[in-house]
Amino acid sequence: MITLHQAGYHGIALPDYGIGLDGSNDSTSCVFTSHAHADHIPRTNGQQVYATPATSRLMSLRGYQEPITETEYYQPVETDRARITFYPAGHILGSAMIFVETDEGDLLYSGDCRTPPSPASEGFDYPENIDYLIVEATFGLPIYRWDSHEVLFDQIRKFASDTLNQDATPVFFCYNLGKAQEVMHALAPLQQRVQIHGAGYPLCSVYDEFDINLGNYEAYNRETVKGSILITPSNTRDSGMLNHIKPVKTAYVSGWAAVESRRTQLNVDQLIPLSDHLDFFELIEWCKKLHPRHVYITHTPNSDVVMHYLSQEGISSSGLFSSM
Ligand SMILES: [Zn+2]
Ligand SMILES: [Zn+2]
């Protein structure tokens, strides 16, 4: 059994190996970062930090100031007692699962992951023969089952085209890193002008650099936004950003859009449940395929349902750190 400690907000430490996963504490000398979403960026102070090149660039653009050792997928890092390798996680550009090989067994930390992978990511891949799996279960309830990317991308394009044909401005509410660029990638074949919120705009350059087609885009401009497609986080609506663009039609793009009550909560015209996390069934299927000795479940309000389904498959599991 490999000892696991909580490290920081969402992070995990392997104290016997000096390794931090998305977090650090006094025991960690090397910290591996799965991706550039804020809750996974570690607070570090002089430790050696590793990330994929895309994640490293996104972290820097989001204000992370410590040095980062850029490490490609499949390029192992050797420490005195372990070997650590990044595998593509399919969640957002640069996202990685972290594979740690030790004398006590081999552990895979999923970070946030998605299979089938986001078409705006490097794909999804993992090593054979895993002893321990630490997996996120953000959508770990059987009410969550996603449609295919083809179906959801068609919905995105249809919503945009229909709205533009009605001489209205289509607005997609989505998170600034990952979901925004995935929606832009889905919209690219329409060859329409897209504007993206100022906080998301600089992050798009990293997608360009890694050859993900984001189409014809520019930063949000109050004077010229009318008639283009707008991509912005849902909380920007409160700032009155949309007040001068009329008429508009709004769509909320998120795994949480699977919950119908969000339509009235957010007052949007359409819900598009495009997620960059595993749905419940994808999670169980993947665990069955891997069949590790033990599964640790994180990022979930309640791990009991996942544990129940895994036990029916003969897979032992537990929630990791009840506070997570
Ligand atoms: Zn994430
Ligand atoms: Zn996360």
Side-chain angles (χ1 to χ4, degrees):
M1 218 50 150
I2 300 172
T3 303
L4 303 172
H5 286 170
Q6 191 161 359
Y9 177 52
H10 264 163
I12 295 162
L14 281 53
D16 298 337
Y17 298 90
I19 291 170
L21 306 172
D22 287 346
S24 72
N25 63 21
D26 291 346
S27 74
T28 55
S29 50
C30 302
V31 181
F32 294 83
T33 309
S34 65
H35 66 291
H37 278 152
D39 55 325
H40 294 263
I41 295 180
R43 296 221 174 87
T44 49
N45 186 1
Q47 289 107 332
Q48 184 122 26
V49 174
Y50 297 87
T52 62
T55 295
S56 162
R57 270 162 251 189
L58 291 166
M59 283 168 73
S60 303
L61 286 169
R62 302 189 97 193
Y64 184 83
Q65 289 179 340
E66 310 265 328
I68 302 168
T69 306
E70 293 191 358
T71 309
E72 302 282 352
Y73 297 114
Y74 308 112
Q75 293 294 313
V77 173
E78 306 268 356
T79 66
D80 51 347
R81 291 193 56 206
R83 177 160 55 177
I84 304 93
T85 314
F86 286 133
Y87 281 81
H91 171 62
I92 65 168
L93 187 74
S95 65
M97 300 194 279
I98 305 166
F99 185 49
V100 185
E101 295 169 87
T102 79
D103 291 342
E104 294 177 287
D106 300 338
L107 175 146
L108 183 70
Y109 166 68
S110 74
D112 291 345
C113 67
R114 175 77 217 270
T115 178
S118 163
S121 75
E122 296 87 343
F124 180 82
D125 189 25
Y126 52 91
E128 307 285 315
N129 299 324
I130 291 154
D131 297 299
Y132 305 105
L133 173 67
I134 303 175
V135 69
E136 61 121 346
T138 304
F139 293 98
L141 288 173
I143 55 168
Y144 297 109
R145 187 197 283 274
W146 311 138
D147 285 327
S148 69
H149 284 108
E150 289 74 20
V151 166
L152 294 163
F153 278 24
D154 279 346
Q155 281 180 27
I156 287 168
R157 286 187 286 263
K158 185 170 185 323
F159 176 81
S161 307
D162 290 354
T163 305
L164 288 168
N165 287 338
Q166 296 158 18
D167 286 323
T169 300
V171 179
F172 290 94
F173 290 130
C174 33
Y175 190 70
N176 261 329
L177 171 58
K179 190 58 53 65
Q181 291 78 16
E182 194 173 24
V183 169
M184 290 161 75
H185 183 62
L187 291 169
L190 294 183
Q191 298 185 306
Q192 294 285 348
R193 193 164 55 99
V194 171
Q195 291 200 352
I196 172 167
H197 181 261
Y201 176 71
L203 307 174
C204 295
S205 67
V206 185
Y207 280 74
D208 291 339
E209 199 184 327
F210 285 83
D211 290 327
I212 306 282
N213 181 13
L214 300 185
N216 170 18
Y217 72 90
E218 59 198 29
Y220 164 74
N221 179 323
R222 196 189 147 88
E223 305 308 321
T224 57
V225 66
K226 208 168 158 38
S228 67
I229 301 169
L230 178 60
I231 314 268
T232 189
S234 58
N235 61 6
T236 56
R237 170 179 258 177
D238 304 333
S239 68
M241 190 174 174
L242 306 186
N243 292 353
H244 63 288
I245 325 168
K246 288 218 171 89
V248 293
K249 278 207 153 178
T250 54
Y252 174 58
V253 190
S254 164
W256 302 112
V259 183
E260 177 57 35
S261 60
R262 293 277 161 139
R263 189 194 303 274
T264 38
Q265 278 166 13
L266 291 164
N267 184 25
V268 290
D269 297 304
Q270 189 163 338
L271 297 170
I272 302 179
L274 172 67
S275 176
D276 45 21
H277 297 268
L278 299 169
D279 74 18
F280 179 80
F281 303 92
E282 291 160 349
L283 169 64
I284 301 294
E285 271 312 299
W286 188 45
C287 290
K288 274 166 69 178
K289 224 181 266 177
L290 287 174
H291 218 288
R293 276 200 258 165
H294 192 80
V295 175
Y296 298 97
I297 304 155
T298 67
H299 277 58
T300 183
N302 182 349
S303 45
D304 292 353
V305 179
V306 176
M307 285 165 61
H308 171 75
Y309 277 74
L310 290 179
S311 74
Q312 288 186 330
E313 303 297 336
I315 300 169
S316 109
S317 67
S318 55
L320 183 63
F321 316 135
S322 51
S323 63
M324 286 176 86

